[in-house]
């Protein structure tokens, strides 16, 4: 039996609120209903959480609207200090937050520890950005007046977060919203609501006024989200998730001309040219593929390798992925935990089986292990056509699919042959090629000789069907501000 890192990882659940977070406190759903959160490693219940309904959503919005003007009028320095205190509290409790994410998401604890560090940094970044909201003053070109441009909070906002990064996808939205002076309602994914509820309690401890932040876990996402979106008081919607759901939310938002930020699906190519440092490329490929067990929208989904170095790259990546240790994420030494659900595991297995049927060669893994838990092993497939069905959709699992190419033009064509455009990666030691390829890849973010590109100080977002808007960086707070032009004589 593998040793656990602590005697009982579930002790971190003792201090997590399990009610809805409305008006600064944990409260039951008006219906009294709850839903169960499961441990993906054992398929056993972790705890039950209040199940928000439409009435709860309206109650949370009422409370938020009642304090919206006061929060908008709160000095920027004070808003920033609250974010800073929340950052410090989360930093002090980093071990517990990481274990909590591992329990509800399943992934290996080292990945949760990395997310804790990454996710908390958004609060520190936007604490600093709160006091840098500016404007401009200029003379009208005709000389007949002055132009004053100022920024104001966009208004009450709704954030809908995914299950794969329970902390960071929250802080990346909440941080700029609060820094800009907006109240916010958050609907976390029903698979992983606990981290967001813990975060709400941290904000309260940091001094955030009641009503400014609400958290509404629910098993009925459609009705609860619609009840909020169709209310004229909501002025901004931020969503991270699938492209089909994003399209539907944008259609709803269009009815009231609400501002939207959409971080949607990805299909990231990872290109390796024959002049690359292969060992560095393998290390970067491993990080780009296996971060979060492959359950990331920025995960490398397609490996396109120039034919002259394809076997060397594939052999070395296979060796590295073979060293992965599969098991419950909270067990000692585990580097790959289960996927979040049976549905997700079965989807990955179906995509791999389809690729094998189409002629792919299995270099590693490729079969669902027996026993409890939603496990899928680290898998490497090569001899895959660059335009095969398995390359069309996000795998969202620990599966590396390798194709080959001959020329730079062929590589860019294959990389761009998707409706998505979130992230791309490539490795080359030729500076001119680096510039050509970076400019030629049709995606919102490009990693050049890097396998991890996310940074709180950089704008995160995509093009094409991967969404609109940016999160993080100095651009992130702009998504939560409206522009006002004042004409002066």
């Amino acid at each position: 039996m593998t040793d656990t890192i602590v005697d009982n990882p579930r002790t971190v659940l003792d201090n997590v609120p399990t009610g809805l977070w409305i008006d600064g406190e944990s409260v039951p759903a008006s219906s009294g209903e709850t839903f169960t959160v499961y441990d993906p490693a054992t398929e056993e219940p972790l705890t039950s959480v209040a199940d928000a309904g439409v009435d709860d959503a309206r109650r949370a919005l009422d409370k938020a609207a009642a304090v919206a003007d006061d929060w908008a009028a709160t000095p920027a320095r004070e808003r920033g200090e609250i974010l800073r205190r929340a950052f410090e509290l989360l930093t002090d409790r980093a071990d517990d937050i990481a274990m909590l994410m591992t329990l509800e998401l399943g992934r290996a604890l080292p990945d949760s520890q990395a997310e804790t560090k990454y996710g908390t940094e958004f609060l520190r970044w936007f604490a600093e950005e709160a006091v840098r909201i500016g404007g401009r003053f200029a003379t009208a070109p005709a000389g007949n007046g002055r132009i004053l441009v100022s920024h104001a909070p966009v208004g009450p906002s709704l954030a809908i977060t995914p299950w794969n990064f329970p902390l960071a996808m929250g802080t990346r939205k909440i941080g700029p919203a609060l820094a800009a002076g907006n109240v916010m309602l958050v609907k976390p994914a029903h698979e992983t609501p606990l981290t967001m509820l813990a975060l709400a309690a941290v904000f309260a401890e940091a001094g955030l006024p009641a009503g400014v932040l609400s958290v509404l876990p629910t098993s009925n996402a459609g009705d609860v989200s619609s009840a909020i979106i169709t209310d004229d008081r909501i002025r901004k919607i931020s969503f991270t998730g699938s492209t089909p759901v994003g399209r539907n939310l944008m259609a709803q938002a269009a009815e009231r001309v609400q501002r939207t930020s959409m971080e949607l699906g990805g299909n990231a190519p990872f290109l390796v040219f024959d002049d690359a440092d292969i060992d560095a490329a393998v290390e970067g490929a491993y990080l780009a593929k296996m971060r979060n067990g492959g359950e990331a929208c920025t995960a490398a989904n397609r490996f396109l390798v120039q034919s002259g170095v394809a076997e060397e790259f594939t052999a070395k990546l296979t060796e590295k992925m073979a060293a992965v240790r599969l098991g419950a994420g909270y067990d000692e030494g585990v580097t790959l935990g289960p996927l979040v659900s049976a549905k997700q595991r079965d989807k990955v297995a179906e995509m791999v089986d389809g690729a094998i049927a189409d002629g792919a060669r299995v270099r590693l893994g490729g079969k669902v292990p027996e026993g409890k838990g939603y496990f899928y092993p680290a898998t490497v497939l090569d001899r895959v056509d660059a335009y095969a069905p398995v390359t069309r959709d996000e795998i969202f699992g620990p599966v590396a699919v390798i194709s080959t190419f001959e020329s730079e033009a062929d590589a860019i064509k294959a990389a761009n042959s998707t409706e998505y455009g979130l992230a791309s990666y490539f490795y080359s030691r030729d500076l001119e090629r680096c510039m050509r390829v970076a400019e030629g890849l049709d995606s919102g973010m490009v990693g050049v000789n890097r396998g991890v590109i996310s940074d709180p100080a950089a704008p995160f977002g995509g093009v094409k069907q991967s969404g609109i808007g940016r999160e993080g960086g100095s651009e992130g707070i702009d998504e939560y501000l409206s522009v006002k032009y004042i004409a002066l004589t």
Side-chain angles (χ1 to χ4, degrees), residues 118-317:
Y118 171 62
T120 55
E121 281 296 326
F122 283 105
L123 300 184
R124 176 155 63 171
W125 174 261
F126 286 111
E128 296 162 346
E129 288 295 289
V131 297
R132 297 193 176 101
I133 298 170
R136 66 185 177 93
F137 179 80
T139 301
N144 59 350
R146 300 294 184 266
I147 296 170
L148 178 64
V149 179
S150 64
H151 296 90
V154 69
S157 303
L158 168 66
I160 302 174
T161 60
W163 49 260
N164 58 331
F165 286 93
L167 178 68
M169 296 303 96
T171 56
R172 201 163 73 182
K173 299 177 190 298
I174 296 168
L178 300 190
N182 302 286
V183 295
M184 175 169 266
L185 286 72
V186 182
K187 190 214 74 63
H190 77 273
E191 295 93 340
T192 57
L194 300 175
T195 303
M196 188 59 65
L197 291 168
L199 179 60
V202 166
F203 268 112
E205 189 175 345
L208 187 69
V212 173
L213 176 66
S214 301
V215 178
L216 300 168
T218 181
S219 63
N220 191 4
D223 287 349
V224 168
S225 297
S226 292
I228 299 170
I229 294 170
T230 56
D231 192 300
D232 289 331
R233 293 173 292 180
I234 286 290
R235 300 311 310 149
K236 163 76 181 185
I237 301 163
S238 178
F239 170 72
T240 298
S242 73
T243 296
V245 175
R247 291 192 194 107
N248 181 56
L249 291 171
M250 289 176 71
Q252 292 186 61
E255 292 292 325
R256 286 163 181 78
V257 198
Q258 293 155 328
R259 289 267 295 275
T260 61
S261 298
M262 296 283 150
E263 196 263 282
L264 307 178
N267 188 1
F270 190 107
L271 285 59
V272 181
F273 291 95
D274 55 12
D275 60 1
D277 180 331
I278 299 302
D279 290 336
V282 168
E283 184 65 28
Y286 177 82
L287 293 173
K289 177 72 266 182
M290 298 300 289
R291 180 188 180 209
N292 208 44
E295 294 179 307
C297 55
T298 55
N301 208 52
R302 303 168 287 147
F303 291 90
L304 301 164
V305 187
Q306 202 151 18
S307 58
V309 294
E311 179 53 35
E312 179 186 0
F313 173 85
T314 302
K316 288 183 174 180
L317 180 61

Side-chain angles (χ1 to χ4, degrees), residues 45-78:
L46 287 172
T47 188
S48 292
V49 171
D51 194 355
V54 169
D55 290 343
D56 300 304
R58 290 172 178 154
R59 176 162 52 116
L61 184 51
D62 288 343
K63 297 295 184 181
V67 300
D69 289 345
D70 287 343
W71 180 244
T74 299
R77 178 66 72 190
E78 187 175 334

Side-chain angles (χ1 to χ4, degrees), residues 337-366:
L339 300 180
V340 71
S341 65
K343 179 181 178 182
Q344 186 62 28
R345 178 201 58 200
D346 294 346
K347 176 195 170 187
V348 172
E350 182 180 351
M351 293 183 75
V352 170
D353 291 345
I356 295 170
D358 288 338
R361 177 173 62 171
V362 179
R363 298 289 289 260
L364 179 70

